[in-house]
Amino acid sequence: MKNKKSLSFFQGNNSENPSGLMFRDGKKRIDYILVYKKSSPQVEKRCTFERNLRAEGLMLEKEPSLTNSDIMFVKIHAPWDTLCKYAEQMNIRMPFRLDLICIRTKFNSRIDFRQLKSWLPRNPMKLDKEALPDLEETDCYTAPFSRARMHHFTINNRETFFSNSTRSRIVHHVLQRTKYEDGKSKMGINRLLGNSTYEAAFPPHEGSYKSRHPIKTHGAQNHRHLLYERWARWGIWYKYQPLDLIRRYFGEKIGLYFAWLGWYTGMLIPAALVGLFVFLYGLFTMDSSQVSKEICEANTTIMCPMCEGNCSSWTLSDSCVYAKVTHLFDNGGTVFFAIFMAIWATVFLEFWKRRRAELTYDWDLIDWEEEEEELRPQFEAKYSRKERVNPISGKPEPFQPFTDKLSRLMVSVSGIFFMISLVLTAVFAVVVFRLIAMEKFASFQWEFVKKNWQFATSGTGVCINFMIIMSLNVVYEKVAYLLTNLEHPRTESEWENSFALKMFLFQFVNLNSSTFYIAFFLGRFAGRPGDYNKLFNRWRMEECHPSGCLIDLCLQMGVIMVLKQIWNNFMELGYPLLQNWWSRRKMKRAGEQNNSKDQLPQWDRDWNLQPMNAHGLVDEYLEMVLQFGFTTIFVAAFPLAPLLALLNNIIEIRLDAYKFVTQWRRPMPARATDIGIWHGILEGIGVVAVITNAFVIAITSDYIPRFVYAFKYGPCVDKGYRHEKCLRGYLNNSLSVFDMGELKNGSYHTRYCRYRDYRAPPWSPEPYEFTLQFWHVLAARLAFIIVFEHLVFGIKTFIAHMIPDMPKDLCDRMRREKYLMQEMMYEAELEHLQKERKKNGKRYHHEWP
């Protein structure tokens, strides 16, 4: 396996204040920090735990806090022998000797285009090699560490052989498996954190993220400083992310999140450009659109009143602006863009699989298998009386009976359906509000509002809906947490997956339910003049504008997407900043004896930072996955969604980077090979997106009615081609006639008014019955849905099979390196034995002894 091993330029100089990362002797490095309160009653457990840690080979040193007299820090150092012992147990891969291996790693099946590209300007998005001297890399093979074969590994310096993140991971492994009481389950730092024996446990940051000296002239003080200058700083928003450095400092799990986020953001660029092109096409053809032109010139077309009582009839030309704005999003490019985005979602996921394979190879995760997780303390406490033998470890452990698990799962599912019904109730309340607002705005005294009642109704409805969405999100998080704990998941990963799935279901339904109503139900059950369907026999059901319902859907998506992104970004950065500002204020008051904050040791400064949220990366992934759904599911109605998502993600990457580097304590560097349950959710969203976009084009937009008119009823029926002029007369064809004399209340200046539908006129033998054209349009809509879905799903399946999950040259490299590794192990062992025999004066041969 290949490993990109750093030639660090500041190893051993971890901070401007080295004592903040060392024991009092200035030699032993701090690998982990435990925090407890002196007033805690759990003294016996803590003493037993620390005594057992020393027995495991760890070295401990206590230090009081300079800002809080009740806080005590326990500094933990892992000596060389302890690191080697557990590195072997954990199968941690380490680099082989350079003279044996690195010469043999030159294998690349790709063509070298560097000479061809030499005349091209330098890519400004790439990070400077000079700016990141710590990322100069040498390609070496790695193998699981073995104390018996220690001479095979590249050990130039024992202090730097194991990286800081590896040392922290080894110490965390020991902390998880050390007992604090006699008993099978009385072990692990998580249980001690749960019963308040310790307040916190975290690896220390590598010093300050800022320096008094510029990085260009004096270099980086530590990895954290380097990450801030070359990743978290706003001035380099256009640069690629230093993924190897992120992985080295925060671990593979967080590194994969930022790799996925960066890949998603990069893939949004072509989608945003195509969406912007479709929008500009609608903008440039807005004045030449035949439908918009006919609406704007319809000065004599009298439309039926929008409400009963004080409402009067209105002229269709009054909604000229509304019709033009509708054309921006409902034009000839809509179908093309919907197909493009469906294919884009598949390409994005398939190429992410390839990118993930490359990262797992580069980061030595190909052969890594997740360790057997320890049980959650809550699970053990609940089922400690029932045990069975673990098929992996062979040891007895608490066991949850199937009947108990099923009953708890049923209660959890019932809770999920109850919360979804609460969402639907909220949507119903918004619908009622829109109906009331429609009547009020249509009869408003202010002429401007009365003239633009559609925008006023949709705009206020969206704002009310957004406030309900954000309020219910707070409730959903608490309910999801409660239901997940009720299920009593066995391990932390099971808990995280269960919680993530619930949060996604809740927030997806909450965010998209009102959008589904506008897309597929708005205006479908309004009835007709003289026989309107009314809600509670009081409020008329809402109708679509003569130019279509798509603009309502577009407004709903645009407002919610923009407001939600602004709110999320504010909460992600603003809340930690306020919390840390308050902590610094208290720290300044309590530590007045210090001349400056910089004299505080690193563990004190880290303690006053915010811990990474208890849900891990769930909130980060959830925000992006919901955005992915918003970008793909109704993209036919809002082609600017990918552009808004791209702009948001450029900010999101730097926000998250700033938060991880400056506002949060350093999380435990965890390992992972993929993004977990979120990949399956993304694939599910891709399937839903195809179906919804097919229905949006067929039902919500006016694409199919215009298509049927152009080929069946328009002036170009016999010419066999479609042109904008072929839609001449479409508006008059799509409006039916109503005799206002049939209304019992109200007096009107004209006898006939028009309304949007395909119904027979009042003077026909069957007045107000659906015409033949209505059935033609309905059949065309159903046919389009079937053809669109089968076509797009076929293309998606073909692309998924055509793109392998792992690049061919990577497969070849892995097979070759596996062969070379066996050969090198043989040669290295042979060389070692030959040296031993020569040293002992024995004869040796070149064959294997």
Side-chain angles (χ1 to χ4, degrees):
M1 187 66 61
K2 182 178 72 66
N3 179 46
K4 296 188 173 181
K5 180 173 174 57
S6 319
L7 301 176
S8 176
F9 73 105
F10 49 69
Q11 289 278 11
N13 182 23
N14 293 309
S15 173
E16 294 177 351
N17 181 17
S19 63
L21 293 171
M22 299 289 178
F23 275 28
R24 283 190 288 267
D25 61 7
K27 297 179 180 179
K28 299 180 183 67
R29 178 183 302 182
I30 300 174
D31 298 315
Y32 225 86
I33 299 290
L34 302 181
V35 186
Y36 70 87
K37 288 183 177 180
K38 299 176 184 177
S39 57
S40 172
Q42 307 285 1
V43 178
E44 185 177 351
K45 292 180 180 179
R46 185 170 62 250
C47 292
T48 304
F49 184 69
E50 293 173 4
R51 183 171 60 251
N52 290 336
L53 288 178
R54 290 187 178 94
E56 292 291 335
L58 298 180
M59 303 181 71
L60 278 61
E61 185 177 80
K62 294 188 177 182
E63 199 82 38
S65 172
L66 299 181
T67 60
N68 190 333
S69 59
D70 192 36
I71 293 296
M72 183 68 75
F73 297 100
V74 180
K75 300 178 288 184
I76 302 178
H77 168 74
W80 171 255
D81 292 338
T82 305
L83 289 172
C84 293
K85 171 186 173 183
Y86 283 100
E88 185 174 13
Q89 289 184 13
M90 297 168 65
N91 289 322
I92 294 178
R93 304 184 72 91
M94 301 303 294
F96 261 45
R97 285 166 48 192
L98 296 176
D99 57 338
L100 290 177
I101 300 167
C102 293
I103 298 175
R104 296 180 161 180
T105 58
K106 302 300 181 182
F107 173 79
N108 194 346
S109 62
R110 296 178 182 177
I111 301 174
D112 188 0
F113 291 101
R114 283 178 294 181
Q115 294 182 353
L116 298 177
K117 293 182 178 180
S118 60
W119 58 273
L120 294 175
R122 181 181 174 277
N123 186 352
M125 300 175 68
K126 286 188 176 181
L127 292 163
D128 300 330
K129 285 283 186 180
E130 298 78 10
L132 292 174
D134 189 53
L135 292 185
E136 294 177 1
E137 294 162 348
T138 303
D139 292 338
C140 301
Y141 289 124
T142 63
F145 183 78
S146 170
R147 286 178 291 178
R149 296 178 175 178
M150 195 176 296
H151 53 279
H152 293 173
F153 297 91
T154 311
I155 308 177
N156 297 322
N157 186 344
R158 289 188 174 188
E159 295 298 321
T160 60
F161 179 65
F162 294 104
S163 66
N164 288 348
S165 60
T166 302
R167 297 172 68 100
S168 298
R169 190 153 53 89
I170 290 174
V171 173
H172 182 77
H173 176 86
V174 179
L175 293 174
Q176 292 281 53
R177 288 157 178 79
T178 301
K179 289 189 175 183
Y180 58 86
E181 279 185 8
D182 293 333
K184 298 176 182 178
S185 61
K186 305 296 184 179
M187 67 171 63
I189 187 63
N190 288 346
R191 295 172 180 81
L192 294 176
L193 291 172
N195 60 27
S196 299
T197 301
Y198 289 99
E199 298 297 316
F202 53 87
H205 275 297
E206 297 181 8
S208 174
Y209 64 89
K210 287 187 177 180
S211 173
R212 292 188 295 268
H213 308 293
I215 191 173
K216 290 184 178 180
T217 57
H218 290 73
Q221 299 298 319
N222 50 66
H223 284 114
R224 189 187 185 195
H225 181 211
L226 187 62
L227 277 170
Y228 176 77
E229 291 290 338
R230 303 306 179 197
W231 181 46
R233 194 166 50 85
W234 294 101
I236 55 170
W237 61 269
Y238 58 94
K239 295 285 188 180
Y240 292 136
Q241 300 182 88
L243 293 177
D244 288 330
L245 186 58
I246 297 170
R247 168 250 181 170
R248 184 187 311 159
Y249 194 81
F250 292 110
E252 286 80 3
K253 189 172 184 179
I254 293 176
L256 274 175
Y257 163 71
F258 281 104
W260 176 83
L261 180 57
W263 184 259
Y264 171 46
T265 303
M267 289 293 292
L268 279 173
I269 295 176
L273 291 176
V274 176
L276 181 62
F277 174 78
V278 172
F279 176 79
L280 293 177
Y281 170 79
L283 181 65
F284 292 138
T285 59
M286 184 170 56
D287 293 331
S288 61
S289 169
Q290 184 65 31
V291 177
S292 300
K293 192 181 301 182
E294 290 185 1
I295 290 178
C296 293
E297 295 174 355
N299 298 321
T300 59
T301 303
I302 306 300
M303 302 299 295
C304 295
M306 294 306 302
C307 64
E308 299 175 359
N310 298 328
C311 295
S312 59
S313 55
W314 52 287
T315 305
L316 182 58
S317 59
D318 293 343
S319 60
C320 176
V321 175
Y322 198 89
K324 289 185 175 181
V325 173
T326 299
H327 181 74
L328 291 176
F329 305 99
D330 189 5
N331 53 64
T334 302
V335 177
F336 161 75
F337 189 56
I339 297 176
F340 171 83
M341 286 303 295
I343 298 173
W344 172 88
T346 301
V347 171
F348 160 64
L349 292 175
E350 292 301 320
F351 275 97
W352 162 248
K353 293 178 184 177
R354 295 167 63 89
R355 176 60 175 157
R356 185 197 67 84
E358 294 173 356
L359 287 174
T360 54
Y361 168 76
D362 290 339
W363 293 352
D364 278 339
L365 297 172
I366 294 293
D367 297 326
W368 179 77
E369 294 183 3
E370 192 169 351
E371 300 174 10
E372 177 68 10
E373 286 189 86
E374 67 171 10
L375 302 179
R376 298 182 72 240
Q378 297 86 340
F379 181 87
E380 286 188 325
K382 180 69 177 177
Y383 302 104
S384 59
R385 297 182 179 180
K386 297 183 179 181
E387 292 185 345
R388 74 170 183 180
V389 177
N390 187 306
I392 298 176
S393 65
K395 298 178 181 179
E397 66 177 20
F399 167 68
Q400 182 182 16
F402 175 77
T403 54
D404 181 81
K405 185 175 183 178
L406 181 61
S407 61
R408 290 180 179 276
L409 187 61
M410 293 300 295
V411 173
S412 181
V413 171
S414 301
I416 293 174
F417 278 107
F418 173 77
M419 295 307 298
I420 291 177
S421 65
L422 183 61
V423 175
L424 300 180
T425 303
V427 173
F428 181 75
V430 174
V431 171
V432 173
F433 170 81
R434 289 175 64 102
L435 299 181
I436 298 174
M438 180 185 67
E439 287 192 3
K440 298 298 181 183
F441 288 134
S443 59
F444 210 73
Q445 294 182 355
W446 191 10
E447 188 63 27
F448 177 78
V449 175
K450 185 177 181 179
K451 189 175 181 180
N452 297 280
W453 62 268
Q454 297 101 331
F455 281 117
T457 302
S458 299
T460 53
V462 170
C463 292
I464 295 293
N465 187 38
F466 175 75
M467 289 187 288
I468 293 176
I469 287 173
M470 300 311 296
S471 301
L472 289 179
N473 278 347
V474 178
V475 178
Y476 294 154
E477 182 173 351
K478 298 184 182 299
V479 173
Y481 191 84
L482 177 66
L483 293 178
T484 306
N485 285 334
L486 181 66
E487 295 175 6
H488 285 298
R490 180 175 171 272
T491 62
E492 287 295 334
S493 62
E494 291 180 9
W495 188 96
E496 185 176 317
N497 287 338
S498 179
F499 179 77
L501 184 60
K502 291 181 181 63
M503 285 295 292
F504 170 75
L505 289 175
F506 288 159
Q507 294 207 20
F508 180 82
V509 174
N510 187 30
L511 192 65
N512 292 285
S513 54
S514 57
T515 311
F516 270 90
Y517 162 75
I518 292 175
F520 306 126
F521 298 99
L522 179 65
R524 311 298 166 202
F525 310 101
R528 63 173 180 82
D531 189 24
Y532 281 115
N533 297 321
K534 295 183 179 181
L535 186 64
F536 302 133
N537 292 322
R538 171 65 181 85
W539 296 291
R540 261 179 55 183
M541 298 299 292
E542 201 171 353
E543 294 183 69
C544 290
H545 186 266
S547 59
C549 288
L550 201 67
I551 188 60
D552 295 273
L553 180 59
C554 173
L555 187 63
Q556 171 85 7
M557 290 185 62
V559 172
I560 289 182
M561 191 171 186
V562 171
L563 292 180
K564 192 172 187 300
Q565 289 180 349
I566 292 175
W567 175 260
N568 286 341
N569 289 335
F570 172 77
M571 290 301 295
E572 281 196 17
L573 185 62
Y575 185 63
L577 280 175
L578 290 175
Q579 286 182 312
N580 288 331
W581 171 80
W582 184 252
S583 296
R584 288 194 300 269
R585 185 180 177 185
K586 292 192 299 182
M587 186 169 58
K588 186 177 180 181
R589 288 179 177 179
E592 290 180 355
Q593 69 273 15
N594 299 303
N595 295 327
S596 67
K597 175 192 167 185
D598 291 334
Q599 293 184 358
L600 287 176
Q602 188 62 44
W603 53 80
D604 239 326
R605 284 183 279 176
D606 287 354
W607 165 244
N608 286 281
L609 294 177
Q610 297 303 309
M612 185 176 177
N613 61 65
H615 309 146
L617 293 171
V618 170
D619 292 340
E620 314 299 330
Y621 276 116
L622 179 63
E623 179 185 353
M624 289 297 102
V625 169
L626 290 174
Q627 183 203 83
F628 178 81
F630 230 60
T631 304
T632 55
I633 291 181
F634 292 103
V635 73
F638 191 51
L640 292 180
L643 179 62
L644 294 179
L646 173 64
L647 297 177
N648 174 79
N649 287 6
I650 292 174
I651 299 173
E652 179 74 21
I653 289 176
R654 304 305 160 180
L655 273 180
D656 285 347
Y658 185 82
K659 180 174 60 179
F660 272 90
V661 174
T662 69
Q663 302 301 309
W664 279 359
R665 295 174 196 156
R666 187 178 183 181
M668 202 284 293
R671 307 202 89 188
T673 57
D674 53 35
I675 61 175
I677 194 175
W678 300 106
H679 189 274
I681 293 176
L682 290 170
E683 289 185 332
I685 290 176
V687 173
V688 173
V690 175
I691 300 172
T692 53
N693 281 301
F695 276 86
V696 166
I697 296 171
I699 296 176
T700 311
S701 76
D702 267 11
Y703 175 81
I704 298 301
R706 291 197 301 264
F707 182 86
V708 172
Y709 176 80
F711 281 94
K712 183 68 177 177
Y713 299 95
C716 301
V717 173
D718 299 329
K719 298 181 180 180
Y721 69 94
R722 184 181 177 187
H723 190 268
E724 193 67 33
K725 294 182 180 179
C726 297
L727 292 177
R728 188 174 299 165
Y730 167 76
L731 179 66
N732 184 65
N733 178 266
S734 64
L735 297 177
S736 300
V737 180
F738 176 69
D739 186 357
M740 298 179 67
E742 298 180 16
L743 297 177
K744 299 180 180 179
N745 54 345
S747 57
Y748 302 97
H749 300 290
T750 181
R751 180 176 179 181
Y752 296 108
C753 66
R754 309 297 296 273
Y755 63 98
R756 176 185 167 89
D757 210 341
Y758 293 100
R759 292 180 181 269
W763 53 80
S764 67
E766 298 179 348
Y768 307 122
E769 292 295 326
F770 289 119
T771 62
L772 182 62
Q773 187 174 353
F774 170 84
W775 301 108
H776 284 165
V777 170
L778 179 61
R781 282 173 165 164
L782 296 177
F784 176 84
I785 291 173
I786 295 173
V787 172
F788 182 90
E789 288 183 355
H790 282 71
L791 174 65
V792 176
F793 277 131
I795 295 175
K796 284 169 66 70
T797 304
F798 175 76
I799 292 175
H801 282 286
M802 287 294 294
I803 302 176
D805 293 347
M806 186 176 293
K808 184 179 183 301
D809 61 335
L810 181 59
C811 294
D812 294 340
R813 180 188 287 261
M814 290 172 57
R815 285 195 293 266
R816 176 171 175 79
E817 290 185 0
K818 185 176 180 180
Y819 165 76
L820 291 177
M821 180 61 65
Q822 295 174 348
E823 182 179 312
M824 286 183 294
M825 292 285 288
Y826 166 82
E827 292 182 2
E829 191 66 25
L830 177 62
E831 179 185 355
H832 176 68
L833 290 176
Q834 288 176 346
K835 287 181 179 179
E836 288 293 324
R837 289 189 174 188
K838 185 176 182 180
K839 182 179 178 181
N840 296 332
K842 297 181 180 180
R843 297 181 60 185
Y844 63 92
H845 304 279
H846 290 285
E847 68 273 9
W848 181 260

